[in-house]
Amino acid sequence: MPGTPPTRFVYLGPEGTFAEQALRSVPAAERGTRTPARSVGEALDSVRAGDADAALVPLENSIGGAVGVTLDEMAEGEPLVITREVILSVEFVLAARPGTSLSSIRTVAAHPQASTQCRGWLRDHLPDAVVVDVLSNGAAAAGAGTGEYDAAICAPIGALRHRLTTLADKIADHPDAVTRFALVSRPGPPPPPTGDDLTSLAVYIAHDRVGALLSVLMELAVRGVNLTRIESRPTGEALGRYVFFLDCTGHVADVRLGEALQGLRRVCADVRFLGSYPRHRWAEAAGERPVPAPAGLSDVDYADAAAWLARLRTGELT
């Protein structure tokens, strides 16, 4: 039923990963059921099929960039919408079974992205250890827990779940790295505007039009809509055919963003609305503030202009 709070959550698994840690920061998920999925596609298809109310999947990382598989899944198949974003600090630890010393470590299990982000620490502290690629941070922790590997690079939640001892924390070369996750549900009324919202879109440009991408950007710029992110992904139709993913400040209920969406609908081959949702409170903690509407482009300005035009159409010239 529309408006019913979600109680059944699925996330990109396995257990003990950053995705689980991010999901547990959502109050409703902490009270509901949480089921790991084997892939982003499986998580989103569970929502589409009605087996879950919402899925938490990664969107982008401040070091590795956009998560292409999530963008592709959001652009294809039955529509889904983002209802919330979660931004999580990525803190890697080196963990091992109790009693293990740093000097005794010969093998370290790690997801390739994790070992890449901890390359400097490994070079300085475990130069002779062999790093073994595994499928996830959770799998790394599980392997260390069973003794298959001497240690693991994993999330703190993974070390805790598999009863590992943390030998070193904050081992990433970029201590301020974060990952942005999206909580995704079946289409329904978006969360109400908060005054500090984001709207996500997948935009297909008309390839037979000169300046098609510029037209997209102009529809936003002339209405004072701030574009915070743009990513391109191939559509798979032919070489050089792309879908553009946009994050804009504002909410679909805002007049200026609503008019921008109408403009995009007119000039684009297709537009898929991916949701309007509150920005994560991390943005405010990092010193970011909502970008105010430029002069003449607030909802009050739009309402005043619309009322003036209505008077003109009825013969009133004041």
Side-chain angles (χ1 to χ4, degrees), residues 10-23:
V10 63
Y11 62 93
L12 177 61
E15 296 178 339
T17 60
F18 288 112
E20 183 187 9
Q21 188 173 335
L23 180 60

Side-chain angles (χ1 to χ4, degrees), residues 203 205 211-225 227 229-230 244 246 264 267-268:
V203 172
I205 65 173
L213 180 56
L214 178 60
S215 297
V216 169
L217 301 179
M218 287 299 295
E219 292 294 337
L220 302 173
V222 299
R223 295 174 176 88
V225 175
L227 183 65
R229 184 178 68 96
I230 181 170
F244 293 87
L246 312 180
L264 293 177
V267 304
C268 294

Side-chain angles (χ1 to χ4, degrees), residues 66 71-72 229-234 242-245:
L71 298 182
D72 293 343
R229 184 178 68 96
I230 181 170
E231 300 275 351
S232 63
R233 294 286 299 169
Y242 296 93
V243 53
F244 293 87
F245 293 88

